[in-house]
Amino acid sequence: MTSHFATRMNHVNDSFIREILKVTDQPEIISFAGGLPNPQLFPVEALAEAANRVIRDSGRQVLQYSTTEGYLPLREFISERYQRKEGLTVHPEDILIVNGSQQGIDLVSKVFLNRGDHVVIERPGYVGAIQAISLYEPEIHMVRLNENGIDLNNLKSILTRHPVKLMYAVPNFQNPSGITYTEETREALAALLTEYSVHLLEDNPYGDLRFMGTHALPVKNRLGDLGILMGSFSKTAVPGIRLGWVCAENTIMKKLKIVKQAADLHSNYLAQRILVEYLENNAFDDHINIINQAYKSQRDCMVSEMEAQFPDTVTFTRPEGGMFLWVTLGVHASSSALFERAIQKKVAFVPGQAFHLNGEGDRSLRLNYSNASVDQIREGISRLASAIEG
Amino acid sequence: MTSHFATRMNHVNDSFIREILKVTDQPEIISFAGGLPNPQLFPVEALAEAANRVIRDSGRQVLQYSTTEGYLPLREFISERYQRKEGLTVHPEDILIVNGSQQGIDLVSKVFLNRGDHVVIERPGYVGAIQAISLYEPEIHMVRLNENGIDLNNLKSILTRHPVKLMYAVPNFQNPSGITYTEETREALAALLTEYSVHLLEDNPYGDLRFMGTHALPVKNRLGDLGILMGSFSKTAVPGIRLGWVCAENTIMKKLKIVKQAADLHSNYLAQRILVEYLENNAFDDHINIINQAYKSQRDCMVSEMEAQFPDTVTFTRPEGGMFLWVTLGVHASSSALFERAIQKKVAFVPGQAFHLNGEGDRSLRLNYSNASVDQIREGISRLASAIEG
């Protein structure tokens, strides 16, 4: 039977993170492993009202089939916001509504990638992107991250040696590292990609979750048509409604609409209508500010506890936003070995190998701070410190 | 720029039906072109109540990320219903919740199809399946339908000549033809597919919409693990929530979960919770009976008007359920030419070419009766009859 499966299935396994999340699901474990937004901050009442209103007032429309591109007022909201927040002039017809930006990665890969094509991903990189892209059987090159964002020399050396078609990157509060690309890095990255005519799939699920430092504009602003920008309502509104978007120029958008229609006709229309009803009747930026205040306290607590309790051999990033930070253990340390000890001490994280190919990255690990209270963070880091001590 | 796109994009164009639906969108046109369920029959109040209840009572859960396979009580509902209605013993873990069965077609194709693999589809066939499958660049063989379902000799001849991996079929009230496979055809089809070890992707979005005749059991009942069965809530509940499912044995299910997770992590969780809340508090079969009574009147009206008004050279199917019937024009007639005349007379349908490859099928056309009132059907068929007269 197995021989019936497509060869692309040889390139992926059952998700490593899924397996880890099963282990860490026990209630007595303090988990920094997941990637969940804090549900205490969900605008539950406002969404209940919005749902009630759109179904009662317009049920025969909002429960019917709809258009592949997505509900126009939602695409207008997104394009106006790009203009206002990012200085990016795009129109509603440049926006495709998808089931979270995860679907955007799949659809863009489907439009661009033949088997054997060359793709660049960050190292460490977003697991969901590695999985989605791998299913199209490309050659994946991972480019190192550094404190300024991406290692440009490493990238240039890859671009010189391989005809790269597409690069996937998360320039703001990257998952898993928490790193944000500097202005200079963005500028130089755009120049390099333009020189080699490489499309950038710029994923920005965390961009609005900045709680310190200064806002940086998308790389797409310097890239023009080579830039494909994605966003998500999963971290700013709620993830359960699975709504995100892809922003791309017309030639690409036409192809994206074809593959979106073939994939599932259109994204959940009821969810789109509920979200627009919510956005029109609530101050979205105020809501995001509330999230950012909470995440800043959680992040500050985690950083200061780690500074106080971890040995000097352990280093870590200090993100200015987003949901994750990245820990590098001392030389010869193993995060998968640490994971076993940590689970015994009832604290969990994701070992770094999950964000690499070929088993690399075992000295590092990812911590999530968005879905734990300050008290849990204090106790959890203390447990982790004692696990690190051995 | 175009050269950057994957070769799979050469196999599909912007949807023909999308273009037709744009033309037929004008309010003065009576359209039998779409494939929409009748929104007058949507359980709007009950769904509004269900939405309000799940968000208010369990907002922090139902708006959060969830599991790839889908909400367990929904998968339990589906597997229990299979046992009760179809005599098919499956377990919740054999069910994957997807965004309408359209996504099932995409995911199953992704799991099975390498470029150049051989696939069988019905002729005429469901456009969405042709599109989704074509993106995996297989060799597609279309097998003729007849009044008993599928032309088994035609199928056998294809299976003898090509190493077919997968067949896609809609055995109940097929889209576009309205044809239902007889028991004998199901039996013989299962035997043939078993002999040649071909997986059957059995799509059953209309199976519950039977308003005359006797229920036929799925082909999967005779096929075992070679059978992959799909269903949908789009026609029995509402389509805007994009919920359907794939039912497959464990080896296939493991692969499906991997590609589902890469595609969009999981289906809309809020929608799943609303649907379960609705199903637990309402008599679903009674609701389906209401739909079937309405569709039977609409179908009966369309058939009797056509019998009265169409010339004898025009033949058509008399479906026992579902939403469509299939018209074959006289020798040398062209449905695309008829379409132009029909639009001038303010009535629309989908020309048969949409359901074929390579421009075949121009003598035939599809009519939808689910989304038109009896009055509209009477007037619309009268207009169509006069367009046929020339």
Side-chain angles (χ1 to χ4, degrees):
Chain A
M1 186 93 86
T2 310
S3 63
H4 265 260
F5 296 130
T7 57
R8 68 176 65 82
M9 299 312 299
N10 302 333
H11 298 263
V12 285
N13 291 313
D14 204 1
S15 161
F16 182 33
I17 289 200
R18 254 169 78 111
E19 295 310 304
I20 283 175
L21 293 182
K22 274 182 203 161
V23 177
T24 63
D25 215 17
Q26 307 154 47
E28 70 274 21
I29 288 188
I30 293 178
S31 178
F32 304 131
L36 304 183
N38 192 332
Q40 300 307 321
L41 304 169
F42 290 170
V44 172
E45 268 302 303
L47 286 170
E49 271 166 39
N52 197 31
R53 212 153 40 221
V54 294
I55 302 179
R56 280 187 206 279
D57 294 353
S58 319
R60 308 204 188 287
Q61 289 96 57
V62 307
L63 299 166
Q64 185 58 285
Y65 282 113
S66 187
T67 56
T68 300
E69 46 268 45
Y71 186 44
L72 180 60
L74 185 55
R75 292 183 290 121
E76 285 169 347
F77 176 90
I78 294 162
S79 51
E80 282 163 19
R81 200 172 161 85
Y82 270 141
Q83 181 71 56
R84 186 160 44 87
K85 298 253 173 192
E86 313 287 2
L88 190 60
T89 304
V90 294
H91 305 283
E93 57 267 31
D94 306 321
I95 308 289
L96 174 70
I97 304 297
V98 293
N99 311 331
S101 52
Q102 181 70 35
Q103 189 181 39
I105 304 171
D106 181 48
L107 297 183
V108 169
S109 302
K110 205 169 190 176
V111 163
F112 280 96
L113 299 181
N114 288 317
R115 185 180 185 170
D117 278 350
H118 294 264
V119 175
V120 166
I121 298 183
E122 298 153 307
R123 186 174 79 211
Y126 169 51
V127 190
I130 296 173
Q131 280 215 318
I133 292 170
S134 295
L135 283 165
Y136 294 92
E137 303 179 89
E139 293 284 324
I140 295 181
H141 306 276
M142 292 193 102
V143 56
R144 280 189 301 271
L145 294 182
N146 60 28
E147 66 276 21
N148 297 317
I150 206 154
D151 181 332
L152 292 159
N153 288 328
N154 186 193
L155 177 61
K156 180 153 191 162
S157 131
I158 292 167
L159 297 182
T160 313
R161 286 177 294 124
H162 306 284
V164 172
K165 218 183 209 186
L166 188 71
M167 172 172 175
Y168 171 84
V170 187
N172 292 320
F173 324 125
Q174 196 249 8
N175 179 0
S177 71
I179 286 170
T180 294
Y181 292 21
T182 63
E183 288 290 345
E184 294 70 28
T185 301
R186 285 166 201 249
E187 195 68 43
L189 173 61
L192 254 183
L193 296 180
T194 304
E195 181 185 345
Y196 288 90
S197 196
V198 175
H199 280 91
L200 177 68
L201 180 53
E202 182 176 12
D203 198 0
N204 191 28
Y206 313 107
D208 281 320
L209 303 182
R210 176 180 282 282
F211 37 68
M212 50 178 72
T214 29
H215 181 63
L217 298 178
V219 182
K220 178 170 171 59
N221 294 31
R222 292 112 165 154
L223 255 184
D225 288 353
L226 282 175
I228 303 167
L229 186 53
M230 299 200 298
S232 171
F233 289 102
S234 292
K235 279 79 186 183
T236 50
V238 292
I241 58 171
R242 310 300 308 114
L243 290 177
W245 66 89
V246 184
C247 170
E249 59 83 24
N250 183 45
T251 325
I252 298 171
M253 185 51 67
K254 269 192 204 158
K255 304 290 183 194
L256 283 171
K257 279 198 274 186
I258 290 171
V259 296
K260 170 64 181 172
Q261 187 176 42
D264 58 10
L265 303 183
H266 61 80
S267 288
N268 196 298
Y269 187 50
L270 172 61
Q272 296 180 61
R273 295 292 298 261
I274 294 173
L275 181 59
V276 167
E277 184 74 16
Y278 164 76
L279 294 170
E280 283 175 354
N281 292 285
N282 293 272
F284 192 44
D285 286 330
D286 292 352
H287 175 66
I288 294 172
N289 284 339
I290 292 169
I291 297 175
N292 285 338
Q293 282 170 30
Y295 287 4
K296 179 172 192 308
S297 319
Q298 290 160 233
R299 174 270 191 205
D300 285 352
C301 174
M302 188 173 272
V303 166
S304 62
E305 292 296 321
M306 287 163 63
E307 284 171 345
Q309 303 195 42
F310 282 5
D312 288 347
T313 49
V314 176
T315 59
F316 49 89
T317 59
R318 283 152 179 86
E320 298 188 329
M323 302 181 1
F324 303 106
L325 56 77
W326 186 248
V327 178
T328 305
L329 302 173
V331 189
H332 307 309
S334 154
S335 69
S336 39
L338 176 63
F339 182 78
E340 302 300 328
R341 295 199 301 278
I343 288 296
Q344 282 170 11
K345 296 191 188 287
K346 308 292 180 199
V347 62
F349 57 81
V350 181
Q353 287 182 347
F355 311 98
H356 291 74
L357 299 173
N358 315 321
E360 292 176 9
D362 193 37
R363 246 184 80 193
S364 51
L365 59 97
R366 186 188 78 176
L367 296 179
N368 165 266
Y369 49 78
S370 61
N371 193 26
S373 69
V374 163
D375 285 346
Q376 287 169 324
I377 291 171
R378 225 170 261 138
E379 173 62 25
I381 293 299
S382 171
R383 293 180 190 175
L384 187 52
S386 99
I388 290 174
E389 301 290 339
Chain B
M1 187 94 86
T2 310
S3 62
H4 265 259
F5 296 130
T7 58
R8 69 176 65 82
M9 299 311 298
N10 302 332
H11 298 263
V12 286
N13 292 311
D14 204 0
S15 161
F16 181 32
I17 289 200
R18 254 168 79 112
E19 295 310 304
I20 283 174
L21 293 182
K22 276 182 201 161
V23 177
T24 63
D25 215 16
Q26 308 153 44
E28 70 273 21
I29 289 188
I30 294 177
S31 178
F32 304 130
L36 303 183
N38 192 333
Q40 299 307 321
L41 304 168
F42 290 171
V44 172
E45 268 304 302
L47 286 170
E49 271 166 38
N52 197 31
R53 211 153 41 221
V54 294
I55 302 178
R56 281 187 205 277
D57 294 353
S58 320
R60 308 205 188 285
Q61 290 96 59
V62 306
L63 299 165
Q64 186 59 286
Y65 282 112
S66 187
T67 56
T68 299
E69 45 268 47
Y71 186 43
L72 180 59
L74 185 56
R75 293 183 290 121
E76 284 169 346
F77 176 90
I78 294 162
S79 52
E80 282 164 20
R81 201 172 161 85
Y82 270 141
Q83 181 71 56
R84 187 161 43 87
K85 298 254 173 192
E86 314 288 0
L88 189 61
T89 304
V90 294
H91 305 284
E93 57 268 32
D94 306 321
I95 307 288
L96 174 71
I97 303 297
V98 293
N99 312 329
S101 52
Q102 181 69 36
Q103 189 180 40
I105 304 171
D106 182 48
L107 298 183
V108 169
S109 302
K110 205 170 191 176
V111 163
F112 281 96
L113 299 182
N114 288 317
R115 185 181 186 170
D117 277 351
H118 294 264
V119 174
V120 167
I121 299 183
E122 297 154 307
R123 185 174 82 212
Y126 169 51
V127 190
I130 296 174
Q131 281 216 316
I133 292 169
S134 295
L135 283 165
Y136 295 91
E137 305 179 88
E139 292 284 322
I140 295 181
H141 307 276
M142 292 192 101
V143 58
R144 280 189 300 272
L145 295 182
N146 60 27
E147 67 277 19
N148 298 318
I150 206 154
D151 181 332
L152 292 159
N153 289 328
N154 186 192
L155 177 61
K156 177 149 195 164
S157 132
I158 292 167
L159 297 182
T160 313
R161 285 177 294 126
H162 307 284
V164 172
K165 217 181 210 187
L166 189 71
M167 172 172 175
Y168 171 84
V170 187
N172 291 320
F173 325 124
Q174 196 251 6
N175 179 0
S177 71
I179 286 170
T180 295
Y181 292 22
T182 62
E183 288 291 343
E184 295 70 28
T185 301
R186 287 166 199 248
E187 196 68 45
L189 173 61
L192 255 183
L193 296 181
T194 304
E195 183 185 344
Y196 289 89
S197 196
V198 175
H199 280 91
L200 177 66
L201 179 53
E202 181 175 13
D203 198 1
N204 191 28
Y206 313 107
D208 281 319
L209 304 183
R210 176 179 283 280
F211 38 68
M212 50 177 73
T214 28
H215 180 65
L217 298 178
V219 182
K220 177 167 171 62
N221 294 31
R222 291 109 164 159
L223 257 183
D225 288 352
L226 283 175
I228 303 166
L229 186 53
M230 299 199 299
S232 172
F233 289 102
S234 292
K235 280 78 186 183
T236 50
V238 292
I241 57 170
R242 311 300 308 115
L243 289 177
W245 66 88
V246 184
C247 170
E249 60 83 24
N250 182 45
T251 325
I252 298 172
M253 185 53 67
K254 269 192 203 157
K255 305 289 182 191
L256 282 171
K257 279 198 274 187
I258 290 171
V259 296
K260 170 65 180 171
Q261 187 177 41
D264 57 10
L265 304 183
H266 61 79
S267 288
N268 196 296
Y269 187 51
L270 173 61
Q272 296 180 59
R273 294 293 298 260
I274 293 173
L275 181 60
V276 167
E277 184 73 16
Y278 163 77
L279 293 170
E280 283 175 353
N281 291 286
N282 293 272
F284 192 44
D285 286 331
D286 292 351
H287 175 67
I288 294 173
N289 284 339
I290 293 170
I291 297 175
N292 284 338
Q293 282 170 30
Y295 287 5
K296 179 173 192 308
S297 318
Q298 291 160 231
R299 174 269 191 205
D300 285 351
C301 174
M302 188 172 271
V303 165
S304 62
E305 291 297 320
M306 287 164 63
E307 284 171 345
Q309 303 195 42
F310 281 6
D312 287 347
T313 49
V314 177
T315 58
F316 48 90
T317 59
R318 283 154 179 84
E320 298 188 328
M323 303 184 358
F324 303 106
L325 57 75
W326 186 249
V327 178
T328 305
L329 303 173
V331 190
H332 306 310
S334 155
S335 69
S336 38
L338 176 63
F339 182 78
E340 302 299 329
R341 298 199 300 278
I343 288 296
Q344 282 170 9
K345 295 190 188 286
K346 309 289 180 200
V347 62
F349 56 81
V350 182
Q353 287 183 346
F355 311 98
H356 291 76
L357 299 173
N358 315 319
E360 292 176 9
D362 192 37
R363 247 183 80 194
S364 50
L365 59 98
R366 186 188 77 176
L367 296 179
N368 165 266
Y369 50 78
S370 60
N371 192 27
S373 69
V374 163
D375 285 347
Q376 287 169 324
I377 290 171
R378 227 171 259 136
E379 174 61 25
I381 293 299
S382 174
R383 293 180 190 175
L384 187 53
S386 99
I388 290 174
E389 299 292 338

